[in-house]
């Protein structure tokens, strides 16, 4: 680095030059201007950089690997002259010190997308020269201090996307120069100030995604002079950067936007005020608690509107027949859940629509003019959850997402869909379509990722030919009357993640080619006529990503598919971050698509409209499988449901089953399983549903605190079983074995205190339980820890007392009720 040799240098700008080395030490003290934006410079920023005596402008943004934190500034030193500090998109960390108030000359401070934490210092009030303050996308918390009274030069203030709470600081409302204010995506509460006479120049306002309440104040809607842009807008558009730029130029340079979405604002939408904004381009009031529109007719004043969203409020959108609304520039319309019963007529006048979201309304009919609209860039069309019974031809080749699920659509599937060469998501599920699936549905678009025709009345065999270019990830055909075997071309869909053909009349043998589909996560063949053994031959790591494996209610025979079970890698390790589990599906800036399927759990068929990526299930029930339950089952430690009921399984329950620590449902019923129930079963501490009935099990039912919650229905139909909860005693020969000292220490086995107690759910006074626990273990120090950790959990004491006590008390206190002995 030559920098340190340049001892006399005053201005240095290397912006966007690829430097890729550590930040230089000992910069020249003559520097007044240093710009190293986007130079890939890295390492730690030395503290003295902020205190160079002549430094005025320091611009270091866009260097992801540059670290550093604020030094403590010294107010008594003569410097700094520092006026501009730009460190956005760096790895700058730590708190903003109160001593920042010493930077008396600063007028530009940008730390967007750094890692700043802690509270905002109240000494911000001393930065009276500030024009721009951007601390968005950091980890700042606490209240925004009400310190803006003296910052009368402030033009742009962004504190969005932090964890800030508290009220809207009243002093912001007095900032007469403020043009842009962004407080979005925080946790702010309370009312917006009813009066903000100061904000005469405000043209750009984003308060969305907070918890503001009350009505929308009228000061928000004042005629703007100019327009500004928000990053948020970018997310609204797909297409390349140039498209976005052109759209911006076209719509936003002279416009205005208001985004108050995702708050708790109530009352009517003050159209009488909003309509004074003749230049309004972007209006998003979605996801509030708005009750109506005070003057619906006034909408007709907003001639420049390009984006309108009123979705998810309590309002009903009714356009009066004698008002002719016309939004010639409308590009994005979102009126989901707005009680609309007529297709919005005003769209006739919008020649440039790109995004139309009208889901969850009561629309019965699509007008005929709709199909001839020249919408060359329409890419999103969502009319799901309406009452449509027929579909008009769809001609817009730009369509990317087509969602008509949950309507009453009848007749055969429209062939016009096969002209939509760019379609990525096609969801026609839950309608009344009949007839065969058109052949072209497999190859009309190489972009197609989701094809969902679930729950219709489709018939015939699947003659669709999927092309080799297929991008298909989700194929949902369940709940129809489809016949024949799976299409031969399906192996072409190498990206396939979800294959659901359940609840049809299909037949054929197990599709062994599935072993080549590396991405497959969900395989549902349930309730069909598939037959034969389930085996796979040579394959490298087959089914590594499989999470939901449902072959139930078919005619499969042979042994359980050990070769598959031993490869289910994704079921073998528990996701450490369960709380951050995602839903399976496709995600993009414009629209998320979440996979939905139905699974039998806890004895009920449950429709999962979203599938957690941590849901792992195996359902092989109601087939003709025979042989033993393989030991490898014990490797699937992340498994939540195992149902092998209603087969002809024999042999013993493998003791490895006790390793399934995530298991919530275990159904082994109606088989020919014999032998004793392995004691390890009692370590299934997550178990909520257990059914081992109708087998040939014998011996004493193993018990543990957890297990007393299962009734005798879990065990009935096994003539050789005895002991609680069955009424049949085990007799003297196999009475409760005396507890070993080791046993008594260890009586909770793999349990933690938490699982024992929580296993009982809620109910009883903690104090009572505490006494009993102590008596049982004689280890008060464990108890103390338990109370600290679990003080808020309550304990269902009765179960404990009545059932478990009997099993775990110390031998000398043991008493047998059987054989007429009495307790001493
Ligand atoms: C930079 O200065 C050091 C001494 O401070 C000297 O050794 C070195 O040669 C100088 N480099 C150049 C390129 O002038
Ligand atoms: C940097 O400056 C410090 C004191 O200001 C001095 O001790 C050190 O030698 C200098 N380092 C270099 C590499 O010039
Ligand atoms: C805003 O300005 C007005 C008039 O200058 C003043 O009366 C009021 O106290 C100020 N409010 C705040 C919160 O600073
Ligand atoms: C709302 O804000 C939170 C962070 O505060 C963010 O994670 C979330 O994505 C935001 N939601 C929307 C709809 O912008
Ligand atoms: C929405 O407004 C109604 C009527 O004012 C009120 O009862 C309800 O609690 C509000 N809902 C929310 C989530 O604020
Ligand atoms: C789709 O497949 C059919 C039959 O294989 C073929 O005739 C047709 O040309 C294909 N269409 C496209 C768009 O590739
Ligand atoms: C297991 O499968 C059978 C038949 O497929 C079903 O009746 C039962 O409810 C399932 N068990 C559980 C616990 O879901
Ligand atoms: C699984 O269970 C068997 C038998 O109970 C036991 O020996 C083995 O250690 C367990 N394995 C793991 C990884 O817990
Ligand atoms: C257990 O399964 C049997 C048949 O396999 C069924 O009749 C019974 O209702 C099930 N019991 C419970 C508690 O789920
Ligand atoms: C199951 O328990 C009920 C009451 O809890 C009892 O009436 C019934 O006889 C028991 N059945 C068996 C087979 O133990």
């Amino acid at each position: 680095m030559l920098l340190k040799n340049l001892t006399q240098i005053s201005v240095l700008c290397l912006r966007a030059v690829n430097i890729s080395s550590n930040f230089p030490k000992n910069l020249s003290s003559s520097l007044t201007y240093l710009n190293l934006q986007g130079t890939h410079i890295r390492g730690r920023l030395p503290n003295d950089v902020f205190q160079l005596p002549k430094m005025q402008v320091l611009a270091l943004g866009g260097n992801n690997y540059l670290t550093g934190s604020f030094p403590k500034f010294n107010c008594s030193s003569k410097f700094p002259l520092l006026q501009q500090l730009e460190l956005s998109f760096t790895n700058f960390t730590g708190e903003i010190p109160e001593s920042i108030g010493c930077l008396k000359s600063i007028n530009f401070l940008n730390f967007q997308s750094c890692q700043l934490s802690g509270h905002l210092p109240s000494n911000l009030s001393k930065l009276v020269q500030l024009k721009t303050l951007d601390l968005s996308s950091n980890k700042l918390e606490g209240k925004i201090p009400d310190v803006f009274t003296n910052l009368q030069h402030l033009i742009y203030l962004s504190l969005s996307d932090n964890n800030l709470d508290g009220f809207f600081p009243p002093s912001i409302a007095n900032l007469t120069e403020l043009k842009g204010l962004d407080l979005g995506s925080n946790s702010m509460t309370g009312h917006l100030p009813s009066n903000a006479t100061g904000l005469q120049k405000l043209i750009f306002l984003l308060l969305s995604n907070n918890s503001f309440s009350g009505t929308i104040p009228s000061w928000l809607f004042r005629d703007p002079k100019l327009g500004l842009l928000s990053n948020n807008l970018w997310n609204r558009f797909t297409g390349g950067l140039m498209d976005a730029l052109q759209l911006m130029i076209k719509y936003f340079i002279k416009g205005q936007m208001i985004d108050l979405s995702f708050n708790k604002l109530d009352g009517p939408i003050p159209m009488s005020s909003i309509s004074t904004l003749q230049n309004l381009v972007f209006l998003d009031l979605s996801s509030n608690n708005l009750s109506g529109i005070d003057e619906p007719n006034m909408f007709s004043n907003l001639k420049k509107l390009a984006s309108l969203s009123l979705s998810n409020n309590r309002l009903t959108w009714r356009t009066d027949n004698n008002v002719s609304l016309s939004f010639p520039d409308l590009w994005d319309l979102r009126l989901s859940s707005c009680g609309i019963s007529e297709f919005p007529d005003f769209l006739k006048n919008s020649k440039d629509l790109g995004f139309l979201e009208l889901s969850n309304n009561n629309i019965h009919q699509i007008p005929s003019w709709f199909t001839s609209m020249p919408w060359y860039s329409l890419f999103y069309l969502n009319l799901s959850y309406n009452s449509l019974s027929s579909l008009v031809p769809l001609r817009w080749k730009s369509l990317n997402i087509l969602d008509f699920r949950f309507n009453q659509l009848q007749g055969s599937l429209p062939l016009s869909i096969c002209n939509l060469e760019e379609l990525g998501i096609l969801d026609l599920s839950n309608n009344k379509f009949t007839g065969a699936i058109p052949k072209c549905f497999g190859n009309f678009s190489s972009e197609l990722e989701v094809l969902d025709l679930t729950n219709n009345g489709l018939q015939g065999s699947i003659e669709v030919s999927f092309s080799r270019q297929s991008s298909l990830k989700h194929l949902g055909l369940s709940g129809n009357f489809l016949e024949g075997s799976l299409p031969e071309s399906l192996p072409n869909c190498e990206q396939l993640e979800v294959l659901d053909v359940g609840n049809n009349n299909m037949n054929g043998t197990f599709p062994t080619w599935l072993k080549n589909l590396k991405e497959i996560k969900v395989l549902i063949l349930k309730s069909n006529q598939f037959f034969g053994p389930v085996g796979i031959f040579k394959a490298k790591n087959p089914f590594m990503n499989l999470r939901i494996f449902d072959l139930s209610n078919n005619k499969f025979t042979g042994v359980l598919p050990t070769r598959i079970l031993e490869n289910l890698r994704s079921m073998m390790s528990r996701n450490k971050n369960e709380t951050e589990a995602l839903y399976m599906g496709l995600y993009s800036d414009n629209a998320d698509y979440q996979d939905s399927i139905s699974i039998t759990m806890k004895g009920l068929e449950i429709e999962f409209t979203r599938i957690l990526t941590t849901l792992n299930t195996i359902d092989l029930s109601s087939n003709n499988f025979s042989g033993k339950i393989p030991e490898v089952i014990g490797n699937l430690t992340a498994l939540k449901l195992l149902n092998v009921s209603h087969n002809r399984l024999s042999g013993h329950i493998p003791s490895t089953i006790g390793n399934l620590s995530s298991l919530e449902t275990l159904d082994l019923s109606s088989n020919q399983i014999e032998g004793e129930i392995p004691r390890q079963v009692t370590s299934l501490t997550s178990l909520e549903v257990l059914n081992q009935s109708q087998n040939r099990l014998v011996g004493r039912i193993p018990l543990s605190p957890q297990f007393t919650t299962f009734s005798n229905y879990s065990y009935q139909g096994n003539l050789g079983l005895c002991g609680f909860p069955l009424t049949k005693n085990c007799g003297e020969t196999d009475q409760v074995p005396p507890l070993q000292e080791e046993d008594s220490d260890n009586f909770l086995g793999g349990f933690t205190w938490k699982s024992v107690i929580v296993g009982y759910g809620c109910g009883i006074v903690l104090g009572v339980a505490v006494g009993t626990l102590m008596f049982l273990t004689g280890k008060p120090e464990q108890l103390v820890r338990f109370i600290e950790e679990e003080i808020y959990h309550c304990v269902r004491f009765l179960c404990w007392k009545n059932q478990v006590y009997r099993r775990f008390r110390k031998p000398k206190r043991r008493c047998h009720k059987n054989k007429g002995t009495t307790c001493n």
Side-chain angles (χ1 to χ4, degrees):
M1 194 74 192
L2 303 175
L3 273 181
K4 60 173 167 275
N5 287 31
L6 305 172
T7 50
Q8 302 300 312
I9 196 160
S10 156
V11 174
L12 180 61
C13 179
L14 296 171
R15 188 168 186 273
V17 173
N18 190 350
I19 300 178
S20 300
S21 63
N22 281 342
F23 198 88
K25 293 202 171 64
N26 293 28
L27 283 171
S28 159
S29 53
S30 322
L31 272 175
T32 60
Y33 177 103
L34 177 64
N35 186 335
L36 298 175
Q37 287 171 325
T39 52
H40 297 111
I41 201 157
R42 50 181 191 246
R44 196 180 160 81
L45 192 65
N47 282 350
D48 55 13
V49 169
F50 295 102
Q51 324 237 2
L52 290 174
K54 296 184 179 161
M55 186 64 91
Q56 292 174 20
V57 175
L58 189 57
L60 304 171
N63 294 301
N64 291 341
Y65 297 105
L66 186 63
T67 64
S69 52
F70 280 106
K72 195 168 182 302
F73 296 101
N74 184 351
C75 284
S76 60
S77 55
K78 277 174 228 89
F79 58 87
L81 303 169
L82 202 55
Q83 290 169 16
Q84 305 201 356
L85 200 46
E86 196 283 308
L87 276 138
S88 61
F89 297 95
T90 62
N91 204 0
F92 206 73
T93 57
E95 302 195 2
I96 307 173
E98 284 289 350
S99 63
I100 194 150
C102 304
L103 303 179
K104 291 262 172 5
S105 317
I106 205 105
N107 61 47
F108 183 98
L109 205 52
N110 182 356
F111 284 82
Q112 183 193 353
S113 295
C114 294
Q115 306 280 337
L116 296 176
S117 54
H119 292 233
L120 284 168
S122 56
N123 272 345
L124 281 177
S125 64
K126 298 191 173 151
L127 306 181
V128 294
Q129 302 296 329
L130 262 186
K131 289 183 175 160
T132 295
L133 177 60
D134 189 343
L135 301 172
S136 59
S137 299
N138 279 285
K139 296 173 176 163
L140 298 165
E141 58 191 18
K143 295 187 181 16
I144 301 179
D146 192 19
V147 293
F148 299 92
T149 310
N150 296 325
L151 307 190
Q152 285 299 326
H153 298 294
L154 212 52
I155 296 172
Y156 181 75
L157 173 60
S158 176
L159 302 172
S160 64
D161 194 15
N162 279 290
N163 300 319
L164 298 165
D165 53 30
F167 300 145
F168 186 98
S171 58
I172 288 183
N174 262 7
L175 296 174
T176 51
E177 295 299 315
L178 201 66
K179 291 184 176 167
L181 174 61
D182 184 358
L183 302 178
S185 293
N186 280 293
S187 305
M188 301 183 66
T189 52
H191 291 202
L192 295 171
S194 56
N195 197 325
T197 43
L199 296 175
Q200 291 294 338
K201 292 191 177 165
L202 194 69
I203 48 179
F204 159 76
L205 175 70
L206 235 146
L207 302 174
S208 63
N209 198 9
N210 281 288
S211 298
F212 290 120
S213 53
T215 54
I216 303 180
S218 62
W219 61 266
L220 289 179
F221 312 107
R222 266 193 306 249
D223 200 28
K225 308 275 181 296
L226 260 171
L228 272 181
L229 305 166
S230 144
N231 274 338
N232 247 21
L233 283 174
W234 290 70
N235 297 335
R236 296 256 165 171
F237 300 103
T238 50
L241 185 63
M242 281 319 291
D243 293 350
L245 275 175
Q246 278 170 6
L247 279 165
M248 278 164 48
I249 290 162
K250 184 167 175 197
Y251 294 123
F252 300 108
I253 295 303
K254 286 259 164 65
Q256 165 150 10
M257 64 171 288
I258 289 178
D259 184 349
L260 294 166
S261 60
F262 292 94
N263 286 296
K264 289 178 181 147
L265 302 168
D266 55 25
I269 297 178
M271 261 335 281
S272 39
S273 316
I274 295 180
S275 66
T276 60
L277 295 178
Q278 310 272 319
N279 289 325
L280 195 67
V281 182
F282 181 103
L283 178 61
D284 189 348
L285 301 176
S286 63
S287 300
N288 278 290
N289 196 12
L290 299 165
S291 59
I293 304 173
D294 68 352
E295 292 275 1
N297 299 354
M298 296 275 194
F299 258 110
S300 59
N301 292 1
L302 303 180
K303 288 275 180 277
K304 300 199 172 157
L305 218 50
S307 177
L308 173 63
S309 178
L310 303 177
S311 299
N312 304 322
N313 280 293
R314 287 189 296 137
L315 56 87
T316 301
W317 168 279
R318 256 184 259 106
T319 51
D320 210 321
N321 278 343
N322 41 27
V323 195
S324 62
L325 287 185
S326 167
F327 306 112
D329 285 344
L330 197 65
W331 197 83
D332 175 359
L333 179 66
R334 302 176 194 223
L335 298 175
S336 177
S337 307
C338 284
I340 298 175
S341 54
E342 300 288 324
F343 197 89
D345 222 28
F346 59 82
L347 284 174
K348 239 193 252 184
N349 305 317
S350 309
K351 297 291 189 306
D352 207 7
L353 201 66
F355 195 108
L356 181 57
E357 157 76 276
L358 294 172
S359 64
N360 272 300
N361 284 299
N362 192 23
I363 300 174
H364 288 261
Q365 210 179 356
I366 303 179
S368 53
W369 56 260
F370 179 74
T371 192
S372 54
M373 291 305 292
W375 292 327
Y376 295 111
S377 52
L378 185 69
F379 77 94
Y380 182 97
L381 182 55
N382 188 346
L383 276 148
S384 61
Y385 297 91
N386 275 288
S387 310
L388 297 170
S389 55
S390 65
L391 205 53
V392 294
L394 303 165
R395 304 188 197 282
W396 304 286
K397 291 210 191 289
S398 52
L399 266 179
N400 188 254
I401 297 175
L402 190 58
D403 190 349
F404 278 90
R405 81 187 104 154
F406 289 98
N407 276 284
Q408 309 285 329
L409 295 171
Q410 300 167 6
S412 22
L413 290 167
L415 283 169
S416 68
I417 284 178
C418 294
N419 297 322
L420 308 178
E421 292 158 12
E422 294 188 15
L423 207 59
I425 294 178
L426 174 59
D427 195 339
L428 300 176
S429 65
N430 298 287
N431 278 289
K432 294 177 169 171
F433 285 114
T434 50
I437 304 174
K439 283 186 184 162
C440 58
F441 268 44
N443 66 355
F444 68 90
S445 161
S446 56
E447 313 273 308
L448 197 69
E449 294 186 58
V450 175
L451 175 58
D452 198 340
L453 305 174
T454 302
N455 295 335
N456 278 287
L458 299 169
Q459 297 140 333
S461 56
I462 309 174
E463 305 283 347
V464 177
S465 59
F466 294 98
S467 78
R468 284 191 193 284
Q469 288 80 43
S470 174
S471 310
L472 201 64
K473 291 196 168 123
H474 180 125
L475 179 60
L477 300 176
S478 66
N480 284 290
F481 305 104
L482 297 167
E483 296 162 6
S485 48
L486 288 169
E488 277 169 26
S489 57
L490 201 50
N492 286 337
C493 305
E494 291 181 1
Q495 326 264 330
L496 204 62
E497 293 179 10
V498 178
L499 174 59
D500 182 2
V501 298
N503 297 310
N504 279 292
N505 294 322
M506 299 185 65
N507 57 32
T509 52
F510 182 78
T512 48
W513 45 261
L514 279 171
K515 65 180 193 249
N516 298 325
L517 302 186
K518 295 275 178 264
E519 305 299 328
I520 197 94
K521 294 188 172 82
V522 175
L523 175 60
I524 302 180
L525 303 181
K526 73 172 173 197
S527 300
N528 278 291
Q529 313 283 333
F530 290 105
F531 57 86
V534 179
I536 50 163
F537 308 99
K538 274 190 212 126
K540 208 173 161 224
N541 304 326
F543 299 108
M544 259 178 52
N545 293 307
L546 197 63
R547 295 180 169 283
I548 293 174
F549 184 36
D550 190 344
L551 304 183
S552 64
N553 281 297
N554 277 289
K555 294 177 174 164
F556 287 116
T557 52
V559 294
L560 292 179
T562 311
R563 186 80 176 79
I564 293 179
L565 298 179
E566 70 192 11
N567 273 293
L568 302 173
R569 293 281 150 74
S570 56
M571 301 197 197
M572 292 185 189
S573 54
R574 221 202 283 223
N575 188 343
K576 288 188 192 83
N577 257 336
E578 289 229 3
T579 50
E580 287 175 24
L582 293 171
Y583 296 105
M584 282 181 58
L586 307 174
Y587 296 90
S588 70
D589 285 341
N590 319 300
D592 295 344
Y593 179 85
Q594 284 160 347
D595 293 324
S596 64
I597 53 166
S598 77
I599 299 178
T600 306
M601 285 192 87
K602 302 171 189 175
L604 298 170
E605 177 131 356
I606 297 174
E607 179 81 27
F608 285 82
T609 49
R610 305 187 289 181
I611 318 172
L612 267 182
T613 52
T614 54
L615 184 66
N616 296 300
T617 69
I618 295 180
D619 190 344
L620 304 175
S621 65
S622 296
N623 277 288
N624 278 318
F625 286 116
S626 53
K628 294 200 290 191
I629 301 173
E631 301 218 333
V632 293
I633 202 86
N635 293 349
L636 308 179
T637 50
L639 194 63
K640 294 222 161 114
L641 174 145
L642 177 62
N643 190 347
V644 294
S645 70
H646 299 271
N647 278 294
R648 290 190 290 133
L649 299 173
S650 53
H652 292 227
I653 300 173
S655 61
T656 55
I657 212 155
N659 294 356
L660 300 181
S661 52
S662 308
L663 206 62
E664 292 171 10
T665 300
L666 176 61
D667 193 341
L668 305 177
S669 68
S670 294
N671 278 292
Q672 295 154 21
I673 302 170
E674 56 202 20
E676 299 193 14
I677 301 174
R679 194 171 175 277
Q680 286 84 350
V681 168
T682 60
S683 41
L684 299 177
T685 51
S686 304
L687 209 57
E688 291 168 20
V689 177
L690 173 69
N691 196 345
Q692 299 177 319
S693 64
Q694 311 298 341
N695 275 296
R696 297 175 182 168
L697 297 165
V698 297
R700 177 180 291 278
I701 294 172
L703 274 189
S704 73
Q706 179 80 20
F707 268 63
T708 55
T709 52
F710 301 118
S711 74
N712 60 15
Y713 291 109
S714 295
Y715 303 98
Q716 65 194 3
N718 290 284
L719 296 179
L721 278 183
C722 62
F724 179 83
L726 296 176
T727 40
K728 182 181 174 192
N729 287 326
C730 293
E732 210 156 16
T733 48
D734 56 359
Q735 56 189 237
V736 184
L739 289 179
Q740 308 299 316
E741 207 39 54
E742 177 231 355
D743 251 354
S744 108
D745 263 2
N746 210 7
F747 83 84
L748 295 166
F751 295 125
T752 60
W753 279 105
K754 185 175 162 191
S755 68
V756 172
I757 301 306
V758 175
Y760 287 94
C762 269
I764 280 289
V765 189
L766 190 65
V768 183
V770 165
T772 315
L773 283 169
M774 202 132 72
F775 158 69
L776 286 163
T777 67
K779 289 203 173 135
E781 66 284 357
Q782 283 182 351
L783 200 63
V784 171
R785 213 174 335 127
F786 154 68
I787 292 171
E788 281 167 3
E789 285 174 14
E790 298 298 328
I791 193 78
Y792 293 112
H793 281 283
C794 23
V795 182
R796 192 192 295 159
F797 177 60
L798 291 176
C799 248
W800 181 276
K801 188 176 167 197
N802 291 347
Q803 322 297 350
V804 188
Y805 186 173
R806 200 168 56 180
R807 172 73 180 81
F808 290 120
R809 69 204 139 167
K810 304 243 176 205
K812 61 176 177 184
R813 297 195 180 221
R814 211 168 83 222
C815 74
H816 294 274
K817 282 264 160 64
N818 51 346
K819 281 277 164 190
T821 47
T822 47
C823 296
N824 43 16

